[in-house]
Amino acid sequence: MSVGILTDVTKCIGCLQCVSACKEAHDLPLDVPRIWQKNDGLSADNWTSILQKPDNHYVRKQCRHCVEPACVSVCPVGAMHKTKLGPVVYDSGKCLGCRYCMMACPFGIPRYDWDKTVPHVEKCILCYDRLEAGKQPACTEACPTGATIFGDRKKLLNIAHKRIKENPGKYINKVWGEHEIGGTSVMYLSDIDLGFLSYQTHLGTKPLPERTKPAMESVPFAFVGMGGVMLGLNWIIRRRMELSKKNGKEEETADE
Amino acid sequence: MNRVKTAKLILWLFTGFAAAVALNRYIFGLGVTTNLTDRTPWGLWIGFDVMGGVALAAGGFVITAIFYIMKRDEFHPLVKPAVLTAFLGYLAVIFGLFVDLGLPWNIWHMIIYWNPHSPLFEVGWCVMLYTTVLLIEFSPVPMEKFSRYAKIRNFLMKFRFPFVLLGIMLSTLHQSSLGTLFLIMPFKLYPLWYSNILPIQFFISAISLGLMMVAFESLISHWLYKRKPETNLVAKLCKVTAWILLLYFIVKITDIIATGKFGLIFNGSWESNLFIIEVLISTVIPGLLFSFPRLCRNIKIQWTGSIMVVFGMLLNRIDVGGLVMLGATGDNYTPAWTEIVISLGIVSAAALIFLFVIENFNVWEIQPKDAESLPYAPPSFDFTTKTWLGTPEISGTAKHSLAFILSFAIGMFLMPGKHLHNQGIDNIKVKPATGIDTLYINGNRDDQFVKFPHQAHIKWIRTHGILINGNDSCKTCHHLNLPGEKLSQCWECHTNMYAQVDFFQHDWHASTKGANLKCDNCHKAGVNRSAQSAKKCTDCHPTYKFEAIKGGSSKKYYALSYTDAMHNLCVSCHLAESKKLKDKPKLALCSTCHKTHLQNYLTTGLNWNITVPHFNNVIIPNLNSKERVNVEQSDKNK
């Protein structure tokens, strides 16, 4: 089973209860606007935020918990980890602070404790501790309108498609997160385009780790191959030198 | 002053400057000492120090391959300097990483926690191993001087060939894997640079850059020590480079045409212009210059060509390493001066070690002598002949130490203290609350305002008798007032929304437009002028009562940020009362004061402009978990 969250943009009223609940659930301190923060509301102390869009549209931004996460595949020490249940969690004890996960994320989600001398990466962990205790995430629990719901990913997808079918014309016929970059656990239903949630509007269906896979798989071959080529080259050149030396000697003897 | 001496002086200056900045980076963290943001987590340090550094050090494996594998004996004079440069280059990369990594003391985690899917994991391992291999390759040179190491040296010399081979294999891997790092960012990297064969492009360009770095290093070190340049050898390097640059150009352009991105080159955006400049400098112009054998032997062409390739390929690494992502991320990152200083400082330190090693060990066939390194200055006056020999020189060591310490001091002085203490908090001036009987507190004008029934609070305080300061109920909240006022408002001292400020305002007191005081009015003449030795505030303003501030003293002039001040004042009282009052269990919860956008709009009847973008922050008081539990329990009990 893999769990997820479905957020229905048409139902969100922008009350910020989810943001508030997230703060309380993770004991996050008061958020202070800093120069390195960006205007999407996410920060090291704010793991989810509400973006206001024209015509009273409110879009909740949070970690998408990709099915094949880029951040997990790039972390050199495996500090980012995709759990079987679905959430992508972070192990601060392993992290060495290279920030490759922040670079690799196509949604720009992971944030950094830039103000601390012992900084860590901060992002939504889908309330993994609460899930293990049999509870649902704090944000979905707090939502007063049912705009953001928690459940099994497949069931959520069914619900989403059902809603699209039952309300023709209400939604754009697409579930954001169903196929994008191999699917995400946090999905959206919307009547406006949600391309602004990622760095580019169209992400394609190919999972990001697949892009480095061919190069990483050819590493051993490149390693051994380069050694072989160099040894071979060296053998040929030495052989040639020996031959030319011999020839030179023979010529010398012939001269004599 | 000779060239070496000047160069060393400058290098020591940079090193000292960088040392000061690095110290500050460790004390205050990355946020305030760099311009990195959440959208641009990799900056100049990764682009230049790490990516550029590794590529610059490629000379080591290229030259060893030419000399040991291809048996081109004429390149022997270049081998030792090239291996030394490579070794120092990798040391510089590791140093750069130590500054850039958030938790550098965890760098060894790569050895025990494995993630073989990560290109960075592979690069990390290769860099570790290759640095060790380079150390082994180079160590026979310093060992030569000490006879007790002769056995180890002989042993190492025997196994030189396998180590060279291993070095080449490792270099192939990580030079190309640095390109693999960016394969996972197709949405951020500008399409002209993004390519599925980025690793191959990186490997080829690293070879050309490595060759030209060896040429450049030979040219500049021979110029410094005023020796005859190795023109013939450098000319051979240039010839090889021309072929490699041609290959690089073909691979790059074919890939761009094959993926249908050719139109992007001439679309006039800043990225396309940057691309044209980069390819011209790094590949086309030097490639054309070096394609003429006659030009290759011209020392001026050698200088221009090698500098162009080095600069151009470095630009390529900086572009891929973050510069051409700015369009996609919408960030406007420019390196802070601190980042530039550290980058320069690391390169300078490496150059200093290089000069030290070539002066003390047999790296070159004829070891250069630095007269300035003598610890004692020559005499200024010869007593036997009674002649004046000129002003005595200060010895090199003393000068260099002085340069280091001076620039270290300047670096410490230049670190922007106020900015550091604000920890990156923008200076948001608090706007006063509006309303009379009911105040609308909206300090930063984000419309997430707090409705504060002022009259109701006055009434409540009078009837319930919570009088902190004697019988004057106003002083419960108006704990400290400006001179001549009885009811100063909160924002008058707590002027900053999120940062602590100095409410004493020294400059205002001293200025002619303000209090117009002379220094002597507060600071005693003849005593060191400081806050400690100055008069107390209460000497002039007898009505001030600093006891009202928690832990306050007449020498402590800091006012909390507006948000902290409000929370401390309101929440402490609300918490205490919520425990006493049975009918108001939710008195201390955030939602009591902080209504949501919608609730505010509905309950006040004010015509607030709701189209203002949402502010990022939901304001939650700094309750610790214990207090929170108490509140929750009191909720349940009631």
Side-chain angles (χ1 to χ4, degrees):
Chain A
M1 177 176 141
S2 107
V3 296
I5 284 180
L6 177 69
T7 300
D8 190 335
V9 174
T10 60
K11 285 189 179 182
C12 182
I13 55 164
C15 68
L16 297 164
Q17 293 286 349
C18 48
V19 182
S20 187
C22 176
K23 280 237 177 207
E24 300 232 13
H26 298 287
D27 235 339
L28 297 174
L30 178 83
D31 197 21
V32 171
R34 317 239 186 194
I35 43 177
W36 47 78
Q37 268 164 239
K38 291 295 145 191
N39 54 7
D40 64 355
L42 292 183
S43 77
D45 302 329
N46 241 21
W47 293 354
T48 180
S49 70
I50 301 274
L51 306 174
Q52 195 182 14
K53 292 288 154 187
D55 301 329
N56 283 353
H57 282 101
Y58 300 95
V59 182
R60 186 151 85 94
K61 190 165 182 172
Q62 67 175 115
C63 175
R64 300 289 287 271
H65 299 278
C66 307
V67 175
E68 285 187 54
C71 54
V72 171
S73 93
V74 299
C75 181
V77 289
M80 286 281 178
H81 171 56
K82 173 91 180 169
T83 54
K84 268 187 189 163
L85 208 53
V88 176
V89 294
Y90 168 73
D91 182 354
S92 59
K94 283 182 181 176
C95 182
L96 49 86
C98 68
R99 309 189 289 281
Y100 194 8
C101 48
M102 303 175 71
M103 286 297 282
C105 179
F107 303 103
I109 295 296
R111 301 292 148 130
Y112 211 54
D113 292 329
W114 294 106
D115 56 322
K116 290 180 185 147
T117 36
V118 184
H120 294 295
V121 174
E122 307 269 356
K123 74 168 198 63
C124 160
I125 54 167
L126 208 63
C127 290
Y128 188 59
D129 42 345
R130 287 173 64 101
L131 295 191
E132 279 190 325
K135 286 191 275 185
Q136 62 166 316
C139 50
T140 53
E141 197 180 73
C143 185
T145 64
T148 181
I149 49 172
F150 169 80
D152 185 69
R153 185 169 181 267
K154 278 176 195 163
K155 279 180 191 164
L156 286 178
L157 273 172
N158 288 340
I159 293 172
H161 285 296
K162 212 172 140 194
R163 278 189 201 173
I164 292 174
K165 230 183 224 173
E166 283 172 0
N167 305 292
K170 192 183 177 189
Y171 300 102
I172 293 174
N173 189 10
K174 178 183 178 183
V175 182
W176 269 271
E178 188 179 9
H179 302 300
E180 281 173 319
I181 53 164
T184 62
S185 298
V186 173
M187 296 165 294
Y188 292 88
L189 263 182
S190 169
D191 54 343
I192 53 166
D193 190 80
L194 297 183
F196 55 83
L197 284 177
S198 52
Y199 283 125
Q200 265 175 37
T201 317
H202 301 290
L203 296 180
T205 52
K206 192 180 180 184
L208 284 177
E210 298 274 307
R211 288 178 183 260
T212 45
K213 225 179 178 183
M216 289 310 290
E217 274 171 356
S218 57
V219 158
F221 301 104
F223 186 68
V224 179
M226 195 60 181
V229 167
M230 283 292 138
L231 271 180
L233 201 64
N234 184 248
W235 183 81
I236 294 169
I237 289 169
R238 270 203 293 204
R239 180 86 187 136
R240 258 197 206 164
M241 284 164 85
E242 272 169 32
L243 282 177
S244 65
K245 241 183 215 170
K246 242 185 216 171
N247 288 343
K249 267 181 191 171
E250 274 168 18
E251 275 168 26
E252 274 170 32
T253 46
D255 285 346
E256 281 169 15
Chain B
M1 279 242 243
N2 67 15
R3 285 170 188 168
V4 188
K5 214 170 97 182
T6 322
K8 276 187 185 170
L9 201 65
I10 294 169
L11 293 175
W12 274 110
L13 278 171
F14 279 136
T15 315
F17 208 177
V21 176
L23 190 67
N24 277 287
R25 173 252 171 273
Y26 285 111
I27 296 171
F28 295 105
L30 283 165
V32 281
T33 47
T34 64
N35 276 354
L36 298 172
T37 65
D38 283 325
R39 290 259 173 107
T40 312
W42 282 3
L44 183 76
W45 288 342
I46 294 290
F48 175 76
D49 293 28
V50 177
M51 311 252 302
V54 170
L56 282 175
F61 91 91
V62 180
I63 293 293
T64 48
I66 292 176
F67 180 73
Y68 289 102
I69 307 288
M70 296 171 196
K71 295 278 172 201
R72 300 294 293 265
D73 290 338
E74 68 267 32
F75 285 99
H76 185 250
L78 291 183
V79 174
K80 284 182 194 168
V83 173
L84 177 61
T85 319
F87 177 61
L88 293 176
Y90 277 88
L91 278 191
V93 168
I94 292 168
F95 252 90
L97 274 177
F98 265 95
V99 181
D100 180 78
L101 288 180
L103 307 161
W105 47 88
N106 281 352
I107 200 167
W108 58 275
H109 279 185
M110 245 190 244
I111 302 169
I112 53 164
Y113 301 118
W114 285 31
N115 179 16
H117 301 290
S118 167
L120 192 61
F121 168 77
E122 194 225 305
V123 172
W125 264 93
C126 280
V127 168
M128 272 191 278
L129 291 177
Y130 187 48
T131 312
T132 320
V133 167
L134 281 170
L135 182 64
I136 293 169
E137 276 180 31
F138 188 72
S139 54
V141 176
M143 279 179 189
E144 217 172 16
K145 273 212 161 176
F146 308 100
S147 54
R148 65 195 131 147
Y149 296 127
K151 265 187 188 168
I152 306 175
R153 188 169 177 272
N154 287 339
F155 179 79
L156 288 178
M157 292 293 269
K158 256 186 219 165
F159 290 95
R160 190 170 253 193
F161 188 80
F163 276 121
V164 165
L165 193 65
L166 183 64
I168 294 165
M169 288 154 81
L170 287 171
S171 292
T172 316
L173 286 198
H174 70 262
Q175 293 288 0
S176 54
S177 287
L178 277 178
T180 317
L181 284 187
F182 296 90
L183 286 182
I184 205 148
M185 308 169 200
F187 310 120
K188 285 169 111 179
L189 205 58
Y190 196 75
L192 277 176
W193 280 271
Y194 186 83
S195 149
N196 286 331
I197 53 161
L198 208 55
I200 298 170
Q201 292 181 1
F202 261 54
F203 180 62
I204 302 173
S205 58
I207 295 176
S208 63
L209 176 56
L211 284 168
M212 279 300 98
M213 189 58 200
V214 173
F216 176 69
E217 173 240 291
S218 155
L219 286 170
I220 199 162
S221 49
H222 283 73
W223 176 81
L224 271 183
Y225 288 100
K226 291 184 182 163
R227 301 164 131 236
K228 201 171 162 264
E230 297 161 315
T231 316
N232 284 336
L233 274 181
V234 175
K236 275 178 189 164
L237 289 181
C238 291
K239 241 186 252 174
V240 182
T241 311
W243 286 107
I244 307 232
L245 286 177
L246 180 69
L247 178 67
Y248 177 65
F249 186 73
I250 291 170
V251 167
K252 197 157 185 158
I253 293 297
T254 327
D255 179 65
I256 283 175
I257 293 170
T259 46
K261 295 171 192 161
F262 192 72
L264 287 177
I265 303 179
F266 302 105
N267 71 358
S269 63
W270 68 268
E271 285 103 341
S272 68
N273 292 336
L274 184 68
F275 183 81
I276 295 172
I277 293 171
E278 184 206 299
V279 172
L280 278 183
I281 296 181
S282 69
T283 319
V284 177
I285 299 176
L288 282 176
L289 287 177
F290 291 154
S291 59
F292 301 102
R294 197 169 54 83
L295 288 182
C296 279
R297 281 190 297 274
N298 183 336
I299 190 153
K300 274 182 192 160
I301 298 293
Q302 289 178 353
W303 272 100
T304 359
S306 60
I307 288 175
M308 280 180 120
V309 173
V310 168
F311 183 77
M313 291 300 180
L314 273 180
L315 185 65
N316 171 265
R317 295 304 195 264
I318 292 172
D319 286 346
V320 177
L323 190 57
V324 297
M325 291 181 194
L326 297 183
T329 55
D331 212 358
N332 51 356
Y333 166 83
T334 36
W337 66 269
T338 42
E339 292 175 67
I340 298 169
V341 163
I342 287 206
S343 299
L344 282 177
I346 291 173
V347 175
S348 306
L352 278 174
I353 304 175
F354 181 82
L355 294 180
F356 171 82
V357 175
I358 56 172
E359 273 168 20
N360 290 286
F361 301 104
N362 287 326
V363 180
W364 286 348
E365 268 144 21
I366 306 155
Q367 199 174 312
K369 280 263 150 46
D370 180 12
E372 298 302 325
S373 63
L374 294 173
Y376 304 108
S380 55
F381 190 75
D382 190 353
F383 289 98
T384 46
T385 57
K386 299 205 169 168
T387 44
W388 179 249
L389 296 173
T391 339
E393 294 253 358
I394 309 168
S395 79
T397 332
K399 248 183 209 171
H400 298 153
S401 313
L402 187 68
F404 182 85
I405 289 165
L406 263 182
S407 62
F408 186 87
I410 294 170
M412 287 307 250
F413 178 75
L414 280 180
M415 288 310 286
K418 205 175 174 184
H419 179 58
L420 291 176
H421 292 300
N422 277 355
Q423 286 285 302
I425 300 169
D426 261 348
N427 192 16
I428 299 173
K429 272 256 173 212
V430 174
K431 304 267 167 58
T434 51
I436 301 160
D437 284 353
T438 302
L439 295 175
Y440 296 99
I441 303 171
N442 191 9
N444 53 357
R445 290 286 179 271
D446 68 334
D447 281 5
Q448 297 262 331
F449 60 91
V450 167
K451 208 171 93 180
F452 178 72
H454 190 221
Q455 279 303 330
H457 275 80
I458 295 175
K459 205 175 153 194
W460 196 85
I461 287 173
R462 286 200 177 139
T463 49
H464 287 74
I466 313 173
L467 300 174
I468 298 173
N469 293 323
N471 287 326
D472 196 348
S473 60
C474 297
K475 280 185 180 170
T476 311
C477 300
H478 298 270
H479 56 98
L480 193 68
N481 296 302
L482 289 173
E485 280 187 27
K486 266 191 169 177
L487 300 167
S488 294
Q489 296 182 49
C490 315
W491 59 271
E492 291 183 62
C493 291
H494 305 280
T495 51
N496 195 304
M497 195 68 199
Y498 296 104
Q500 226 181 35
V501 287
D502 182 2
F503 76 80
F504 164 62
Q505 294 173 335
H506 178 272
D507 292 353
W508 183 87
H509 279 84
S511 123
T512 45
K513 285 176 187 165
N516 196 12
L517 298 173
K518 302 260 155 43
C519 302
D520 287 350
N521 289 21
C522 300
H523 299 283
K524 264 185 221 160
V527 185
N528 218 358
R529 278 177 196 158
S530 70
Q532 297 306 320
S533 65
K535 265 188 192 174
K536 284 180 181 176
C537 295
T538 42
D539 291 351
C540 297
H541 308 288
T543 52
Y544 268 30
K545 283 196 173 157
F546 284 89
E547 307 85 64
I549 312 172
K550 235 182 195 175
S553 75
S554 56
K555 291 282 164 81
K556 209 175 171 187
Y557 309 125
Y558 284 104
L560 291 173
S561 74
Y562 191 68
T563 42
D564 281 348
M566 299 309 255
H567 285 148
N568 284 357
L569 191 68
C570 302
V571 177
S572 54
C573 214
H574 272 224
L575 256 182
E577 290 306 309
S578 73
K579 282 170 196 163
K580 281 191 226 156
L581 299 172
K582 289 196 172 168
D583 54 331
K584 286 186 176 173
K586 289 188 173 178
L587 199 62
L589 293 186
C590 313
S591 52
T592 310
C593 303
H594 296 282
K595 301 291 183 199
T596 66
H597 212 119
L598 202 67
Q599 285 168 328
N600 260 342
Y601 183 60
L602 294 174
T603 56
T604 57
L606 293 169
N607 190 15
W608 291 93
N609 181 9
I610 208 159
T611 54
V612 172
H614 259 280
F615 195 65
N616 309 341
N617 315 290
V618 167
I619 293 154
I620 292 209
N622 274 324
L623 297 181
N624 57 36
S625 47
K626 210 176 177 186
E627 278 171 333
R628 222 174 264 166
V629 169
N630 286 341
V631 174
E632 279 166 16
Q633 276 179 348
S634 65
D635 272 7
K636 276 177 199 166
N637 295 340
K638 286 142 203 174

